Amino acid sequence: LRESFRERLFVVLLTLVLVLIALVALYPVVNTAALSLSAGYMATRGKVFLWPMEPNLESWQLVLLSKPLWRSLFNTVYVAGIGSLLSLAFTAIVAYPLANRKFRLRKLVMILVVITMIFRYPIIPYFLVVKSYGVMNSLWALIVTHLMVGYNLVIMRTFFQQLPEEMEESVVIEGANHVQILFR
């Protein structure tokens, strides 16, 4: 298939625009890398531009040997890992009955969940609750207060609603209870 002149010109112009956007996006990354690999006094004088001046690894040593960096990395991984697992478990436990058509209060509960998604909690009562539970200044303040997120609950409830009822009925006939159905 032959491309017309206009199509080739469009492809060339589009390629040039995309290359320009990529260069603009890469500039801060390359400049920061050059600053981090340059001597400190060269960086503070503004002599570094896209290429390291008097390259050394002192700044990298300072950062990588810093205990607060590793502590904060551990805190991030811990809160993300434990928080995600616990949030998944709590959300599944609440979403499963909300997906069941036999649960009569499911519409009321979902309205309350949506209201909490629309109107955020006031910060001072939130602070007082965290303080009263004794998790102030701990990683658990980040984990426990976000165990149940309304948006995640809506998504998981929708997932459970899309499972065929026949599948649940067949498992009940086999003798499973609701807890076994949820976790298996």
Side-chain angles (χ1 to χ4, degrees), residues 45-106:
R45 288 183 185 166
K47 302 280 185 185
V48 180
F49 179 74
L50 296 179
W51 195 256
M53 302 298 286
E54 297 184 25
N56 66 37
L57 298 174
E58 288 176 13
S59 58
W60 281 87
Q61 279 180 322
L62 182 70
V63 169
L64 292 177
L65 295 176
S66 168
K67 287 185 181 180
L69 170 78
W70 296 107
R71 181 65 187 170
S72 61
L73 179 64
F74 169 77
N75 289 348
T76 301
V77 171
Y78 182 79
V79 168
I82 301 296
S84 295
L85 291 174
L86 289 176
S87 179
L88 180 67
F90 275 76
T91 304
I93 289 169
V94 174
Y96 178 71
L98 290 176
N100 192 340
R101 287 179 178 76
K102 296 173 188 170
F103 182 53
R104 295 178 189 220
L105 296 176
R106 68 172 198 231

Side-chain angles (χ1 to χ4, degrees), residues 92-113 153 157 161 165 168 178:
I93 289 169
V94 174
Y96 178 71
L98 290 176
N100 192 340
R101 287 179 178 76
K102 296 173 188 170
F103 182 53
R104 295 178 189 220
L105 296 176
R106 68 172 198 231
K107 288 184 181 181
L108 175 67
V109 172
M110 285 311 298
I111 289 171
L112 294 174
V113 168
L153 181 67
R157 182 194 73 131
Q161 283 178 332
E165 285 184 43
E168 185 176 343
H178 287 294

Side-chain angles (χ1 to χ4, degrees), residues 2 14 19 26 28 30 53 55 89 95 108-109 128-129 132 158:
R2 284 194 62 176
L14 184 63
V19 167
L26 285 175
V30 172
M53 302 298 286
L108 175 67
V109 172
L128 294 174
V129 167
S132 69
T158 304

